[in-house]
Amino acid sequence: MTTNPEHSGSDLAEPYLGGLLASLGLNVHYHRARKDTLYYRDETGREVAVLDLVGGYGSTVLGHNHPALVAHARQLLDQGVPVHAQFSRHPYANDLAQRVNAILRREFGDVGEYSAIFANSGAEAVEIAVKHAELDRVAKVADLMAEIDGNIEKARAALAGGARVPADETLDRLTVARAAPPDAVLDAVTRANAERAAAAPVFLAPEGSFHGKLVGSVQLTHNAGFRTPFQSLAARCRFVPVREPDALAEAIDAERGTLFDVAVDGDAVRVVERDLPVICAFILEPVQGEAGIRPFDRETVERVQRVCAAVDLPIIVDEVQSGMGRTGTFFASSQVGLLGDYYTLAKSLGGGIAKAAMTLVRKSRYRDEFELVHSSTFAKDAFSTLIAARTVDLLEADGGAVYALAAERGARLLAMLNGLRDEFPTVVADVRGVGLMIGMEFRDQSGSAAGFIAEQARDGLLGYALSGYLLRAHALRVLPTASATDTLRLEPSVFITDGEIDRVEAGLRALLTALRDGDEAAIAPG
């Protein structure tokens, strides 16, 4: 391998990460890519082909440099398609939104229309959904406050006509004396509501969630190492063990907020409480990618939707990694009936060529004013959006042949991996996934006879160490999931061949044999 010494002087581009890659044997510079193969040059200048199972963390469902997309990109550039034509008409963006809406209707039924907001990355698409959901919540709170203000004015008129304020336990919760003058009670209602309405929102997400590492999205990511250094910068998220039957309902009840209102009832003005929208949204991935490739089941999804619907809590479905056909349908959520108020798409939306993302918002919740308070310089440009549209065309071609291929290739990979699990039960803890989004989880190796492996396991770097071995010894590019580093992810393109799957099997069998036997010499870097 080569560390690619193409410059002199200090490493300034993320130097710590570069050193970590070197220590794990992953510091390779790839200079060429095609389908599921990446190429680098070794110390002698010989080109080495590596089978890529990382797939851009799910970004290359159609492989690297798909010829139809490369040709389309060249055509667009040759035409001089503008990238910077902001605040103008973008008909191609509307065309893409219409196509994706048609897919939604096919996979979910008559669900109405979804408006589209464009972005550059998955984390940004998530932040758009979060921002829109908060704009919607704030507007609802403002409407509720205005309604209560009107009720207070009606109450003042009733009190002037001789009505009274009955003393009851609601006044105790308002922290006003039961014998307080009526006007003092109404003033206390106004003060209490102003304080409560200004409370920061709360988001709900399943334990294990990963939704990005930007200021807002990182707070929706369960991994404390990513989240806690920045927890004071964004809204709080409560993580819920949603596979437990009552957990979500209990979390919603625990975060419940109220405002005080007044109601004129004959000659009485009563203080009552009304629900305050404190929880902004519930966000989840249909397949939790960075938590170790963990799909949600239909029963859990149905319970989530039922509980959220009961309190009008919007659901954000993060399809950034699982969408675009990787699991055998365009939306992985459609396989378990997970209907969202928001959908986020990215990664493979750009076909492995462009950086493209979009957020879909159910029209019944859509706030037009969001388009004036949110913008992005590079979002919705002609190049990336037209590449995304061509990608969708390729996915939809021949009756969705790509989806069927993803399901078939995924089943082939799963069968092979399950065979290895059965062959090495003391090493492999689990194999799970949907379509071409698969994880292989290893048993705890902190007690391994191989000192190097035991050390890496204790440091939380096991998956990276195993990836270094597979790259060095078998020219296989695999990486662990971000928050479950004992799980290797496999996310190749739909074009992975039987022969390549056989290569994966041979490399993994050698790795599992070395782990089982504690063969440190085989696994540790030379």
Side-chain angles (χ1 to χ4, degrees), residues 126-405:
V126 167
E127 299 229 348
I128 287 171
V130 165
K131 284 180 66 178
H132 187 282
E134 174 62 359
L135 181 70
D136 186 45
R137 188 193 73 86
V138 167
K140 288 177 178 176
V141 172
D143 290 344
L144 181 56
M145 291 283 283
E147 182 183 343
I148 291 172
D149 287 345
N151 291 339
I152 289 174
E153 292 306 310
K154 293 176 184 177
R156 291 190 189 280
L159 292 170
R164 60 185 180 82
V165 179
D168 58 26
E169 64 276 4
T170 309
L171 297 185
D172 298 335
R173 290 193 292 275
L174 184 58
T175 64
V176 66
R178 293 194 179 193
D183 282 344
V185 172
L186 297 183
D187 290 342
V189 167
T190 300
R191 288 194 303 272
N193 284 349
E195 182 178 345
R196 293 186 176 196
V202 177
F203 292 87
L204 301 180
E207 292 181 349
S209 289
F210 183 97
H211 299 288
K213 294 181 180 177
L214 299 181
V215 167
S217 58
V218 75
Q219 292 308 314
L220 310 174
T221 291
H222 188 218
N223 187 321
F226 299 149
R227 172 171 43 86
T228 53
F230 314 104
Q231 62 187 2
S232 63
L233 295 179
R236 179 171 65 89
C237 183
R238 182 184 183 117
F239 296 97
V240 184
V242 293
R243 291 177 175 87
E244 298 178 10
D246 299 324
L248 180 56
E250 291 171 354
I252 289 174
D253 189 59
E255 297 293 345
R256 181 175 177 267
T258 60
L259 291 179
F260 292 101
D261 198 358
V262 291
V264 178
D265 181 13
D267 63 351
V269 174
R270 301 186 184 280
V271 178
V272 297
E273 288 183 89
R274 299 178 62 178
D275 285 335
L276 167 67
V278 175
I279 306 174
C280 190
F282 181 84
I283 182 168
L284 77 164
E285 310 148 88
V287 183
Q288 290 186 301
E290 304 309 320
I293 315 297
R294 299 181 181 275
F296 278 105
D297 60 277
R298 185 173 290 272
E299 180 182 356
T300 299
V301 163
E302 289 176 350
R303 183 169 58 249
V304 164
Q305 295 193 129
R306 184 170 61 251
V307 172
C308 289
V311 293
D312 192 32
L313 180 63
I315 296 175
I316 301 171
V317 180
D318 183 344
E319 291 268 15
V320 167
Q321 189 169 175
S322 61
M324 305 300 300
R326 176 161 293 283
T327 63
T329 49
F330 188 96
F331 293 94
S333 48
S334 68
Q335 298 180 32
V336 290
L338 175 58
L339 181 62
D341 299 288
Y342 299 82
Y343 290 92
T344 60
L345 297 170
K347 292 190 182 291
S348 281
L349 182 63
I353 298 291
K355 297 177 177 67
M358 65 191 301
T359 302
L360 301 172
V361 186
R362 190 193 293 270
K363 267 207 166 181
S364 60
R365 291 188 180 272
Y366 192 66
R367 297 275 180 177
D368 293 340
E369 61 268 32
F370 186 81
E371 298 171 25
L372 301 178
V373 297
H374 177 86
S375 62
S376 175
T377 298
F378 290 98
K380 203 170 62 171
D381 70 278
F383 179 80
S384 64
T385 308
L386 288 168
I387 291 292
R390 184 74 178 100
T391 299
V392 172
D393 287 345
L394 291 171
L395 295 174
E396 290 283 293
D398 301 322
V402 165
Y403 310 138
L405 190 56

